[in-house]
Amino acid sequence: MSKRLRSSEVCADCSGPDPSWASVNRGTFICDECCSVHRSLGRHISQVRHLKHTPWPPTLLQMVETLYNNGANSIWEHSLLDPTSIMSGRRKANPQDKVHPNKAEFIRAKYQMLAFVHRLPCRDDDSVTAKDLSKQLHSSVRTGNLETCLRLLSLGAQANFFHPEKGNTPLHVASKAGQILQAELLAVYGADPGTQDSSGKTPVDYARQGGHHELAERLVEIQYELTDRLAFYLCGRKPDHKNGQHFIIPQMADSSLDLSELAKAAKKKLQSLSNHLFEELAMDVYDEVDRRETDAVWLATQNHSTLVTETTVVPFLPVNPEYSSTRNQGRQKLARFNAHEFATLVIDILSDAKRRQQGSPLSSSKDNVELILKTISNQHSVESQDNDQPDYDSVASDEDTDPEATASKAHRQKSLDSDLSDGPVTVQEFLEVKNALVASEAKIQQLMKASRLEKQNSTPESDYDNTPNDRDLDDMGSSRKGRQRSSVWQSDSSGPDTAEPHVAPSPILPSTEDVIRKTEQITKNIQELLRAAQENKHDSYIPCSERIHVAVTEMAALFPKKPKSDMVRTSLRLLTSSAYRLQSECKKTLPGDPGPPTDIQLVTQQVIQCAYDIAKAAKQLVTITTKENNN
């Protein structure tokens, strides 16, 4: 590997000599100091690997090398190459600059804010622009020009774009052409090797039919990258995919311990997650494995004659704004698992991943929700285990593992409940909320789409698939694709319209600061409600909902009675109608309510759905007012 390093290589961010790290998804080499900042940004911004002390798939390293050598850094520093940028005082960091704030501020601007990338001319319909870029990507991956494809991806081209006329994805095209480095780049940006074309063929099939056997084998590895990485973390081995072995399930040494009711509940909890939510949890654990492994490399390669300061430490997974606050909190709790607890969670995820892929049936879990609620209320502290790496029995292949053997170690899943820190959400609660809110999680994923509202002139899209009680949803039919359902709940208590018919439309919007301040108050009240839901304090629902309603009313009062903007009107309607419906749902918890017995779990689900709708609408209003007030 050292042959590859040349003395002419410099850090992409500060031009320091001999960079020892790579940012895989950015196609750059970076020095230790700049890497410390990259790590603090999170893997969704920069995926870092040490060039010498981290195992690399050869073609992945070759892909990063090619991008670096062909000037990929100019993609992220496009406007800095303009001579006028020097006149304006904009410059990149220097090796002599301090990490904080100088280098850190530059790196955040460069990669997180994308402050220096080339901007496309504004267009009315961003979906068309993204489609055009994706079509260009679809065509470009048949060539070896990696930097062109990285530039298209940086501008918004979708790695999983399904070409309607061609009937396949960019990864299919790259595989057919034998472009293994393009396949690596697409996979880094989320391309799925298991995606089928219009004829049911995968990129792996394309590669094999084209005689590109090395590429086909690599695509299979990429397909199992998550479970391979988890297995390697525990036992230093990976499955032999060439011979049909796709999973390794390590065994814990203390599997003879009794299986507690709490552990049974936790095991059922994991198994009862939908495939989508299970994948989210598995990806979160994958990110935590990456953080721990990178930490180990980081500590091993630092100059210990100087003190490693707190500013170079990444104590838990950085926040990803595209994830819900619940998910981000759960991700951060993973860092508190000691080695034994975390290994247990990894093993259970590997076991269930294998079960899901092979289609094994679940054991009966009809009492799962009741059992979870019961056990959560009886949580108790678990004594800390040693932080040394746990011992393992012989590593089982996928032929050795059966559901009974896997269940024998499920008692250690109690680690999901063992973190009784002063934080508002434990990992067990994180799982509990996710399982209870399969539909709500789909909505949460739409929160970040609101941040792109300023680029749209139509009502924002929302994919509220699998939402319970579809009769409660009004199909407006006004979305761009004509298939999304409105996020506005319809009921007798939906509250007054946000505008009066005789009032003239007004373009005036409140200040961004006022909207943010009210949003923070709404968020604080929502967090209190979610905490009450997690702790089964149903009698707190009504006072919480009333405080939320007051905060929503105050926020709505900041805006004109009839806003000129369609987006503002839509967001205000979602905000106020969700607050009214939240109050209606919370009143169902009152004792002595006539009619059939209240299903408290269903009520809780509806309550939290309303809360997320309120949070989404408030975020939309912040985004809109920020954009308008800055114009």
Side-chain angles (χ1 to χ4, degrees):
M1 189 98 41
S2 60
K3 291 180 182 179
R4 188 206 53 73
L5 290 171
R6 299 190 304 271
S7 59
S8 60
E9 291 177 347
V10 297
C11 173
D13 297 335
C14 73
S15 302
D18 301 325
S20 52
W21 295 82
S23 175
V24 179
N25 57 323
R26 304 297 182 173
T28 58
F29 295 154
I30 52 179
C31 68
D32 281 4
E33 288 191 343
C34 291
C35 178
S36 69
V37 181
H38 278 250
R39 292 183 58 217
S40 71
L41 299 178
R43 292 188 74 253
H44 58 288
I45 302 296
S46 182
Q47 301 171 18
V48 299
R49 279 177 178 255
H50 197 278
L51 289 169
K52 294 182 180 179
H53 298 283
T54 301
W56 282 81
T59 51
L60 181 62
L61 178 59
Q62 189 181 347
M63 183 270 288
V64 179
E65 281 184 285
T66 303
L67 284 172
Y68 175 85
N69 292 330
N70 291 341
N73 196 43
S74 64
I75 294 173
W76 316 112
E77 296 184 356
H78 176 84
S79 64
L80 292 181
L81 301 176
D82 185 343
T84 59
S85 67
I86 300 176
M87 302 299 294
S88 65
R90 301 170 77 184
R91 66 169 184 86
K92 68 183 298 174
N94 290 322
Q96 297 79 18
D97 285 341
K98 293 182 179 180
V99 178
H100 297 277
N102 305 73
K103 290 184 179 180
E105 287 180 356
F106 172 74
I107 291 169
R108 289 194 185 98
K110 179 178 175 180
Y111 298 110
Q112 194 170 45
M113 309 306 295
L114 300 179
F116 314 122
V117 300
H118 174 63
R119 300 290 182 184
L120 291 177
C122 293
R123 295 179 56 170
D124 291 339
D125 191 343
D126 260 6
S127 68
V128 175
T129 300
K131 187 175 181 180
D132 290 342
L133 290 168
S134 298
K135 284 187 174 181
Q136 291 181 46
L137 177 68
H138 189 277
S139 176
S140 297
V141 293
R142 71 180 74 251
T143 74
N145 200 332
L146 284 179
E147 59 274 20
T148 296
C149 294
L150 179 61
R151 192 180 303 276
L152 290 168
L153 289 164
S154 75
L155 292 172
Q158 299 300 304
N160 273 317
F161 173 72
F162 190 89
H163 199 297
E165 290 83 27
K166 306 291 185 181
N168 56 20
T169 70
L171 191 54
H172 285 94
V173 176
S175 301
K176 184 177 181 179
Q179 293 288 350
I180 193 167
L181 301 188
Q182 294 283 22
E184 291 282 5
L185 177 60
L186 290 169
V188 166
Y189 275 81
D192 181 5
T195 300
Q196 296 182 347
D197 70 357
S198 54
S199 301
K201 294 180 180 179
T202 68
V204 179
D205 297 327
Y206 275 55
R208 286 175 178 156
Q209 289 173 3
H212 310 299
H213 301 297
E214 180 188 2
L215 173 55
E217 292 172 3
R218 176 64 184 137
L219 287 173
V220 172
E221 290 179 358
I222 291 171
Q223 195 166 357
Y224 289 94
E225 179 188 358
L226 189 150
T227 49
D228 283 3
R229 179 81 178 269
L230 298 189
F232 189 82
Y233 171 73
L234 292 182
C235 62
R237 287 181 54 196
K238 290 184 178 180
D240 184 1
H241 297 292
K242 291 181 183 178
N243 293 323
Q245 182 198 41
H246 297 310
F247 295 91
I248 288 178
I249 314 294
Q251 300 285 320
M252 293 291 284
D254 59 349
S255 58
S256 60
L257 298 179
D258 292 335
L259 193 64
S260 68
E261 286 301 306
L262 188 61
K264 291 178 182 177
K267 188 69 175 182
K268 285 183 178 180
K269 166 62 63 183
L270 194 66
Q271 294 178 338
S272 67
L273 292 175
S274 68
N275 285 338
H276 170 68
L277 297 181
F278 175 78
E279 287 170 3
E280 284 190 349
L281 178 60
M283 287 189 290
D284 294 345
V285 172
Y286 176 95
D287 286 352
E288 175 64 13
V289 164
D290 182 83
R291 186 193 69 83
R292 293 184 181 213
E293 289 186 332
T294 306
D295 258 352
V297 174
W298 176 265
L299 292 173
T301 57
Q302 294 308 294
N303 180 1
H304 293 284
S305 64
T306 58
L307 181 65
V308 178
T309 65
E310 290 184 3
T311 56
T312 66
V313 173
V314 182
F316 46 72
L317 290 174
V319 170
N320 183 340
E322 293 197 17
Y323 295 161
S324 68
S325 58
T326 304
R327 182 175 178 186
N328 274 313
Q329 290 169 8
R331 284 164 57 87
Q332 293 183 353
K333 297 294 182 183
L334 290 172
R336 300 195 179 186
F337 281 30
N338 63 34
H340 184 278
E341 293 168 335
F342 188 62
T344 301
L345 177 58
V346 170
I347 288 172
D348 283 341
I349 286 177
L350 284 169
S351 300
D352 211 52
K354 178 194 168 189
R355 178 190 66 79
R356 289 167 188 260
Q357 200 235 24
Q358 297 180 348
S360 302
L362 271 174
S363 57
S364 175
S365 58
K366 62 181 180 179
D367 298 325
N368 184 37
V369 173
E370 291 78 5
L371 183 57
I372 290 297
L373 292 171
K374 178 181 178 182
T375 52
I376 286 179
S377 65
N378 295 325
Q379 287 184 12
H380 59 84
S381 180
V382 177
E383 291 183 0
S384 297
Q385 308 278 351
D386 289 337
N387 282 330
D388 295 328
Q389 284 293 334
D391 296 326
Y392 300 99
D393 289 339
S394 58
V395 175
S397 70
D398 45 352
E399 289 79 25
D400 299 330
T401 310
D402 58 70
E404 293 300 321
T406 302
S408 71
K409 58 186 179 299
H411 67 283
R412 293 174 312 280
Q413 194 70 8
K414 66 188 176 183
S415 61
L416 292 172
D417 299 275
S418 65
D419 184 9
L420 300 180
S421 68
D422 56 0
V425 182
T426 66
V427 173
Q428 173 60 34
E429 289 167 343
F430 164 53
L431 288 176
E432 191 276 330
V433 171
K434 290 181 79 170
N435 188 48
L437 296 171
V438 174
S440 293
E441 281 295 319
K443 296 182 181 182
I444 297 168
Q445 290 190 0
Q446 302 304 317
L447 285 176
M448 277 309 295
K449 286 190 177 180
S451 68
R452 294 187 286 272
L453 279 174
E454 66 268 27
K455 301 178 184 176
Q456 301 177 4
N457 290 330
S458 61
T459 301
E461 297 178 5
S462 62
D463 294 306
Y464 283 7
D465 296 332
N466 301 320
T467 304
N469 299 323
D470 283 354
R471 65 182 183 276
D472 292 330
L473 291 170
D474 170 32
D475 190 353
M476 296 174 69
S478 61
S479 88
R480 184 157 47 219
K481 296 181 182 177
R483 61 180 176 83
Q484 283 81 8
R485 281 165 284 178
S486 168
S487 59
V488 181
W489 292 98
Q490 303 296 308
S491 68
D492 294 336
S493 60
S494 62
D497 195 357
T498 58
E500 298 175 15
H502 63 276
V503 177
S506 171
I508 300 174
L509 293 178
S511 70
T512 303
E513 291 75 14
D514 287 345
V515 176
I516 290 175
R517 187 167 60 252
K518 293 300 181 184
T519 298
E520 289 173 347
Q521 184 61 47
I522 291 172
T523 302
K524 179 182 177 182
N525 292 327
I526 287 176
Q527 288 172 341
E528 291 177 359
L529 177 64
L530 294 179
R531 197 171 297 121
Q534 290 157 0
E535 297 172 358
N536 295 328
K537 295 180 179 178
H538 306 130
D539 54 347
S540 298
Y541 283 11
I542 292 178
C544 284
S545 69
E546 289 176 349
R547 285 192 289 271
I548 291 172
H549 184 261
V550 169
V552 164
T553 302
E554 291 176 353
M555 181 163 178
L558 296 174
F559 292 82
K561 290 187 176 181
K562 190 172 183 180
K564 186 176 181 180
S565 166
D566 290 338
M567 291 186 292
V568 172
R569 288 200 300 271
T570 300
S571 299
L572 282 172
R573 190 179 179 209
L574 174 59
L575 183 75
T576 56
S577 62
S578 298
Y580 275 96
R581 188 169 187 275
L582 175 64
Q583 283 192 304
S584 176
E585 291 292 338
C586 289
K587 288 177 181 177
K588 295 178 182 178
T589 61
L590 288 172
D593 191 33
T598 300
D599 183 343
I600 195 64
Q601 291 309 308
L602 179 59
V603 170
T604 297
Q605 181 175 332
Q606 298 297 338
V607 162
I608 301 181
Q609 286 175 345
C610 291
Y612 282 133
D613 278 343
I614 293 168
K616 174 183 177 180
K619 185 177 182 68
Q620 289 175 352
L621 290 169
V622 170
T623 302
I624 296 168
T625 52
T626 300
K627 183 255 183 182
E628 293 297 330
N629 290 332
N630 287 339
N631 284 347

